[in-house]
Amino acid sequence: MILSLKNLSKTYSNGVKALDNINIDIHAGMFGLLGPNGAGKSTLMRTIATLQAPDSGNIHLDGLDILNNKMEFRKTLGYLPQEFGVYPNMSAHDLLHYFATLKGITNTSERKAIVDKALEVTNLSDVRKKHVAGYSGGMKQRFGIAQLLLNNPKLIIVDEPTAGLDPAERHRFLNVLREIGTNHIVIFSTHIVDDVKELCTSMAILNGGQILCQSTPSQLVQELDGKVWQTTASRDQVELLQKQYNVISSSFNDANDLNVRVYSDTLPGEGFVPAQASLEDVYFTTLNQHEEVPTPQIA
Ligand code: ADP
Ligand code: MG
């Protein structure tokens, strides 16, 4: 299975270039699209979901030109948008049966099997009789997955599903995605580095409508190994360090000083020790290399 994006560009009528010549091949498994707000994630996902036409470029799923075969493609697509509408006062069980009927699954026992499976995979069997409108944020997101599983999609697109979930809900949600990720292409967007670290077999960093890098999380971390250094500094010293060195990030430590991480091919200077590279380092250095952004301060 392969989803192939070629030369995708999109400029909105207000002049914002949201997609800037995107070229990428995505294989079966969990693919993480990581980028800050405004990077172009939702635009790219709506474009792949064929809900929004690009200005140029094409997309193929296993050879099928999806932009010119939208109806055929949509039968194989499951899409969970970033903003989801209001749910009616119906139980998850009834609502899924209703959606399955709309999708043309009219045989009662077949429909029951499909709905029960979707509830089971998303861990909602116990609460299937409860109204979806009263679900927590995490349960609603899992219900969104249950719903898109009904037509057994080949390609699943979920746009920032973990934004706003508390840690326990987020964990539960990622586990559900992990379960379905093995048999499908799952494209998952997020601005949370840990989501990608915990879940994804391959990833890309998107910003300014451009793919800045693409690989496996472990490969990207490995490439940075030996180039991350750490030192501690007082608040006043940090500004100076930022002028002198390629500072990746800084975070407060217990002594209310700052742990400062620096990118350098060789030992940057006195007082630095080697640090284990992390995916967060990859993310910040990649964004930094392509744009002058203020150094992030991690709480
Ligand atoms: P992300 O999902 O990564 O936050 P988006 O795809 O939503 O990014 O947005 C990318 C850029 O395009 C942003 O600068 C955003 O303000 C702009 N944008 C998104 N949708 C529209 C629209 N309908 N009209 C004009 N500009 C838009
Ligand atoms: Mg978005």
Side-chain angles (χ1 to χ4, degrees):
M1 221 181 331
I2 179 165
L3 179 76
S4 186
L5 316 185
K6 288 245 156 44
N7 306 117
L8 284 182
S9 289
K10 170 77 183 178
T11 302
Y12 285 110
S13 53
N14 60 0
V16 172
K17 192 159 202 177
L19 301 180
D20 187 0
N21 197 29
I22 302 271
N23 285 282
I24 195 166
D25 283 345
I26 299 172
H27 300 266
M30 290 290 321
F31 178 83
L33 187 66
L34 179 64
N37 281 338
K41 302 183 295 297
S42 294
T43 301
L44 183 58
M45 294 190 137
R46 283 194 302 267
T47 305
I48 301 171
T50 69
L51 298 172
Q52 183 178 328
D55 297 334
S56 61
N58 57 66
I59 308 173
H60 288 83
L61 178 64
D62 289 337
L64 177 75
D65 176 352
I66 70 169
L67 298 179
N68 288 312
N69 295 277
K70 290 194 184 109
M71 287 308 157
E72 188 183 344
F73 164 70
R74 283 180 194 168
K75 287 182 199 143
T76 66
L77 170 74
Y79 169 59
L80 186 62
Q82 185 169 1
E83 315 283 342
F84 208 74
V86 187
Y87 286 105
N89 264 328
M90 260 169 99
S91 72
H93 171 273
D94 291 353
L95 206 47
L96 288 176
H97 271 275
Y98 172 71
F99 287 138
T101 308
L102 286 185
K103 285 173 198 283
I105 309 165
T106 46
N107 180 295
T108 315
S109 58
E110 186 194 352
R111 192 170 64 237
K112 184 177 184 317
I114 290 170
V115 167
D116 287 352
K117 179 74 184 162
L119 286 166
E120 185 200 317
V121 170
T122 53
N123 255 317
L124 290 171
S125 301
D126 292 349
V127 289
R128 69 187 184 282
K129 298 284 186 200
K130 293 207 167 117
H131 284 183
V132 180
Y135 274 5
S136 70
M139 287 156 81
K140 278 185 182 146
Q141 290 296 55
R142 281 184 279 136
F143 179 81
I145 298 291
Q147 187 194 316
L148 65 77
L149 289 176
L150 294 174
N151 59 329
N152 194 23
K154 279 193 345 192
L155 172 65
I156 293 172
I157 297 176
V158 269
D159 194 2
E160 293 230 29
T162 58
L165 300 190
D166 71 37
E169 283 186 326
R170 178 178 157 267
H171 193 70
R172 238 174 270 132
F173 184 83
L174 293 182
N175 277 337
V176 168
L177 278 191
R178 190 173 289 120
E179 189 148 328
I180 60 176
T182 44
N183 307 318
H184 307 78
I185 298 178
V186 181
I187 307 178
F188 162 71
S189 77
T190 183
H191 63 273
I192 303 168
V193 177
D194 279 345
D195 282 351
V196 175
K197 188 164 76 186
E198 289 172 32
L199 195 66
C200 296
T201 42
S202 62
M203 65 174 288
I205 296 175
L206 182 75
N207 200 20
Q210 296 181 344
I211 302 280
L212 303 183
C213 68
Q214 183 207 354
S215 188
T216 65
S218 57
Q219 178 63 34
L220 289 172
V221 170
Q222 206 182 320
E223 282 167 18
L224 208 57
D225 238 357
K227 296 180 181 176
V228 181
W229 309 83
Q230 190 174 309
T231 192
T232 49
S234 67
R235 272 179 216 217
D236 310 338
Q237 292 168 317
V238 168
E239 216 170 298
L240 192 65
L241 286 176
Q242 277 172 340
K243 290 200 181 104
Q244 266 182 306
Y245 301 105
N246 203 336
V247 173
I248 302 170
S249 63
S250 58
S251 59
F252 282 101
N253 60 26
D254 293 344
N256 218 14
D257 284 330
L258 287 145
N259 291 332
V260 181
R261 295 170 80 84
V262 162
Y263 174 87
S264 172
D265 286 336
T266 54
L267 182 70
E270 219 175 291
F272 283 92
V273 292
Q276 179 104 48
S278 70
L279 196 57
E280 207 160 51
D281 295 327
V282 171
Y283 183 49
F284 292 144
T285 49
T286 304
L287 294 182
N288 273 331
Q289 275 163 11
H290 289 85
E291 206 179 352
E292 277 306 310
V293 289
T295 306
Q297 212 166 77
I298 307 154

